[in-house]
Amino acid sequence: MVTEHIKQRTPVLSLQAVWDALAQVHDPELPDLSIVDLGMVSEIKVNDNRVQVKIIPTYTACPATALIQLNVAEQLRGLGFAEVEVLRDSQTPWSSNRISESGRKKLQALGLAPPPQFDSPWTEQTLGQATCPFCGSNDTHLHSLFGTTLCRSTHFCTGCGQLFERFKPL
Amino acid sequence: MNPTVELITKMADDALIIGHRHSEWTGLGPILEEDIAMASMAQDKIGHALALYTLLQEHFAGPDPDTMAFSRKPADFRCCHLVEHPNGDYDFTLMRHFLFDHAEWLRYQMLRQSSFAPMAHFANRISGELKYHILHANTLLQRLARGSEESHARLQAALNDAFPLAMGIFEPGPYEQELAGTGVFAGEEILKNRWFLEVEHRLLSWGFQVPALSDAPAGWGGRKGYHTEFLQPLLDEMAAVIRSQPEASW
């Protein structure tokens, strides 16, 4: 136990190493996107061989949150930290505005229209405007406020005649 | 009971029970989109109930959320009668969804200023989610109100049934003054008046006759632990799995 402890202390783990490791933790419902892409990481504290990470849950009822927390802890232990603490940040509300540029590109590539950036609270009007991820047409209309997961709405594209989903603004 | 505990318990119980009712449409919705919408809103509501029971556990040494949901007797629940009623036809489900969700939305808007910080944070967090619920109710009711004579008449009948029950949402609790005095929550009376302003103009614009706001005790009793005959069978069904395998881990 003692030798193992010493071995674990040797490398100095940088903040960047933690960010890189977190970029390997994916959302099980959107496997191409990491929790960094989704803007779910609100705070990282590295202190010697201890690390503390705060995760902002997206939708309150999202079933993936608990699994993501476990995966974060496992990933950080893999880096060699002796003490890993993963906390839920219940004070910062998550917003789809937190999704990064690269996250938006990945959504697009998945055939899922990215959420619009909004400054003031979104309205019914904002919800109706979506660009088809398949043909790029703006001639689309909102089909249903809900979709295959809590974070998606369903739209119809008049341009190519297909239904598509969008990551909802939240 | 601590006033804040009483407030959170009734909110959580409302969310859990209406969430369960919504979930009963899963696989049975009138069209696929509505099936998915009801299932999604059920998932949200039950998630909100879990978050509220967790607040009780973390800040007031409450029991674990599963115990709150599955092991209490009806008399321990503080939900209003409106959420307990069976789904009936889709018209009643939709009208209840509209009346309940506008009240819930406004309650959380008030709670964003709550002096109980964890509640203010939670209210802030879930506002975006709830907005989708009221938008769903508004959009569908508007469409059906203008649909046909039959759809309009059915929704008017549903409104006549659900409205007196909706009064029970605002049944005064035993700690109204304490909650208002400490800045935790401004109170049911204020909420009721704001709610009426919000739902009345919409219903009128869709051509419905709106029953008068009343203090009549139709639908009252839930906040004191007196429930309709519909709650016990619902709780039995909800807890059927956990009761059959109490030791199982998930």
Side-chain angles (χ1 to χ4, degrees):
Chain A
M1 282 307 281
V2 173
T3 39
E4 200 179 302
H5 189 62
I6 290 166
K7 216 174 6 177
Q8 281 180 350
R9 283 184 63 103
T10 331
V12 177
L13 291 159
S14 69
L15 202 57
Q16 190 54 48
V18 176
W19 278 110
D20 292 346
L22 293 177
Q24 301 304 313
V25 179
H26 295 270
D27 179 336
E29 286 183 341
L30 291 164
D32 290 9
L33 274 82
S34 77
I35 59 170
V36 178
D37 291 324
L38 287 165
M40 291 177 70
V41 182
S42 66
E43 196 180 280
I44 300 175
K45 279 188 197 161
V46 178
N47 185 355
D48 197 15
N49 62 345
R50 293 195 301 268
V51 62
Q52 190 194 69
V53 173
K54 277 192 182 171
I55 302 289
I56 314 172
T58 56
Y59 282 76
T60 312
C62 178
T65 312
L67 183 66
I68 286 172
Q69 276 183 284
L70 285 176
N71 291 347
V72 167
E74 195 181 293
Q75 193 67 230
L76 295 176
R77 270 188 223 105
L79 280 184
F81 283 108
E83 267 179 56
V84 172
E85 200 175 7
V86 184
L87 302 172
R88 266 183 204 222
D89 182 346
S90 53
Q91 299 200 10
T92 314
W94 184 82
S95 156
S96 54
N97 282 346
R98 296 184 66 99
I99 301 177
S100 69
E101 256 328 292
S102 98
R104 284 165 199 277
K105 286 195 182 117
K106 288 176 188 173
L107 286 174
Q108 184 80 33
L110 281 170
L112 196 59
Q117 290 274 6
F118 54 94
D119 300 325
S120 48
W122 51 265
T123 61
E124 276 180 78
Q125 204 112 45
T126 333
L127 279 182
Q129 297 157 354
T131 304
C132 173
F134 304 122
C135 75
S137 169
N138 288 318
D139 189 7
T140 65
H141 64 258
L142 178 65
H143 180 72
S144 173
L145 289 167
F146 297 93
T148 51
T149 67
L150 286 183
C151 52
R152 306 180 195 195
S153 51
T154 318
H155 301 253
F156 183 78
C157 175
T158 314
C160 64
Q162 287 203 71
L163 273 179
F164 66 92
E165 286 190 309
R166 173 163 83 178
F167 198 106
K168 285 184 205 172
L170 183 76
Chain B
M1 203 188 273
N2 172 307
T4 308
V5 170
E6 194 259 348
L7 174 71
I8 298 176
T9 305
K10 73 181 173 188
M11 291 170 62
D13 291 350
D14 275 355
L16 178 70
I17 302 303
I18 202 164
H20 184 82
R21 285 296 184 216
H22 285 350
S23 79
E24 291 174 348
W25 282 108
T26 308
L28 302 169
I31 53 170
L32 180 63
E33 288 78 358
E34 278 308 288
D35 198 302
I36 292 170
M38 272 299 155
S40 300
M41 289 188 286
Q43 188 180 340
D44 276 335
K45 298 290 191 211
I46 293 168
H48 298 162
L50 172 60
L52 291 168
Y53 292 136
T54 306
L55 281 184
L56 291 178
Q57 184 181 30
E58 287 175 356
H59 297 276
F60 301 95
D64 83 285
D66 277 355
T67 304
M68 289 296 282
F70 299 125
S71 303
R72 283 181 300 157
K73 296 182 188 71
D76 299 329
F77 277 78
R78 291 292 177 269
C79 49
C80 62
H81 292 181
L82 176 70
V83 298
E84 299 169 13
H85 272 249
N87 284 333
D89 287 337
Y90 212 64
D91 43 37
F92 180 80
T93 294
L94 273 182
M95 192 54 82
R96 165 169 61 188
H97 159 43
F98 171 78
L99 298 175
F100 177 83
D101 278 15
H102 273 282
E104 193 185 45
W105 159 260
L106 291 169
R107 183 186 295 276
Y108 277 111
Q109 294 311 301
M110 288 164 71
L111 286 167
R112 290 173 91 156
Q113 277 86 48
S114 176
S115 61
F116 179 54
M119 177 53 93
H121 293 313
F122 180 62
N124 219 11
R125 264 181 61 74
I126 69 164
S127 280
E129 298 172 21
L130 294 176
K131 209 163 154 183
Y132 282 102
H133 296 200
I134 53 171
L135 210 53
H136 174 264
N138 291 349
T139 313
L140 213 62
L141 277 191
Q142 179 177 27
R143 211 183 283 177
L144 288 170
R146 295 171 182 170
S148 68
E149 234 173 83
E150 189 196 354
S151 65
H152 194 277
R154 289 181 71 140
L155 285 171
Q156 180 68 58
L159 176 61
N160 297 345
D161 289 342
F163 196 90
L165 289 168
M167 295 299 106
I169 299 172
F170 315 105
E171 179 183 359
Y175 307 110
E176 294 293 316
Q177 291 195 344
E178 286 93 328
L179 288 169
T182 51
V184 173
F185 177 60
E188 300 298 332
E189 192 60 27
I190 293 175
L191 174 60
K192 181 159 87 169
N193 291 323
R194 289 189 189 174
W195 170 82
F196 190 64
L197 281 177
E198 197 66 40
V199 298
E200 188 196 28
H201 79 91
R202 287 198 162 83
L203 291 166
L204 289 174
S205 76
W206 300 329
F208 294 116
Q209 288 180 335
V210 184
L213 198 58
S214 78
D215 279 335
W220 282 19
R223 305 306 191 198
K224 297 189 177 72
Y226 302 114
H227 296 284
T228 63
E229 76 258 40
F230 308 117
L231 183 60
Q232 180 73 64
L234 180 151
L235 296 177
D236 288 342
E237 185 177 300
M238 194 167 66
V241 175
I242 205 167
R243 280 180 201 158
S244 71
Q245 297 292 331
E247 305 305 323
S249 65
W250 300 84

